[in-house]
Amino acid sequence: SEWMKRYLVPVIVLSLSGWMAAAQQEPPTTFQVSITMPVPTIHVGEVPAIEEITENKTDHLVYAGWGEGGPVVELINSKGEDISLHVLGNQRKDADNYLRPPAKRLEPGYRSRGLWHIRKEQGYLVAGVYKLRIHRLDFKNGDIKASAEVYSNTVTLNVVP
């Protein structure tokens, strides 16, 4: 009886806690987008850059929006206004995208890394704190009509005079 309390019970408890931790970690169902700002503080007039990493950590093929379903920048100023209409990547439909297919195939294990230099209209990126994220479409099974948004993490951009 003392042997069971000392040796067997801890083994059972550890086994169950390991099983429960494994059960709580569900595998991703689609691609993931993460962003960082190599330089999180810039001066007014400077061009901010975003590093974007897109990964397919699933065990199956996924389709990420490309062209008209491609990445979109969302930029929120301190007043809570989305000024992304004045930022590169703001619209999915533009003249450069009509030749691209609507979705890009991302095989399991796919990983890409890119650096975006944001161009903005004069007068919109004034001194202040901004929240920024990227989103793009996930075309379920490659079907353009069955899509969902995939959002990156949110980063902070500080613009100083």
Side-chain angles (χ1 to χ4, degrees):
S1 175
E2 184 62 34
W3 179 85
M4 286 180 64
K5 287 180 186 175
R6 178 171 276 180
Y7 297 104
L8 191 56
V9 171
V11 169
I12 292 172
V13 169
L14 286 174
S15 297
L16 285 175
S17 64
W19 175 80
M20 289 171 57
Q24 291 174 352
Q25 296 176 353
E26 294 184 24
T29 58
T30 190
F31 64 92
Q32 297 172 321
V33 179
S34 61
I35 59 173
T36 58
M37 306 260 342
V39 180
T41 300
I42 63 167
H43 290 277
V44 172
E46 292 180 334
V47 177
I50 309 168
E51 182 179 49
E52 175 192 1
I53 296 175
T54 301
E55 297 179 280
N56 179 6
K57 294 182 179 180
T58 72
D59 60 357
H60 58 277
L61 180 69
V62 295
Y63 295 86
W66 195 252
E68 290 189 14
V72 174
V73 174
E74 186 176 286
L75 187 64
I76 308 297
N77 65 18
S78 59
K79 297 176 186 173
E81 301 165 332
D82 184 354
I83 61 168
S84 61
L85 289 175
H86 308 286
V87 177
L88 176 68
N90 58 333
Q91 296 179 355
R92 288 203 167 104
K93 297 179 180 179
D94 63 29
D96 295 335
N97 287 335
Y98 74 94
L99 293 176
R100 289 184 180 173
K104 180 175 181 162
R105 294 169 46 102
L106 307 182
E107 300 286 341
Y110 172 90
R111 185 176 198 273
S112 73
R113 183 175 162 210
L115 190 64
W116 292 25
H117 294 279
I118 299 177
R119 294 182 304 216
K120 72 269 178 229
E121 290 180 21
Q122 195 70 20
Y124 280 95
L125 208 54
V126 297
V129 177
Y130 299 85
K131 298 292 181 193
L132 190 144
R133 70 179 176 175
I134 292 176
H135 52 103
R136 66 191 302 180
L137 292 178
D138 167 21
F139 293 116
K140 303 296 179 190
N141 299 317
D143 183 357
I144 306 172
K145 296 175 185 167
S147 63
E149 293 282 355
V150 174
Y151 290 88
S152 73
N153 56 304
T154 300
V155 295
T156 301
L157 170 64
N158 296 300
V159 179
V160 296

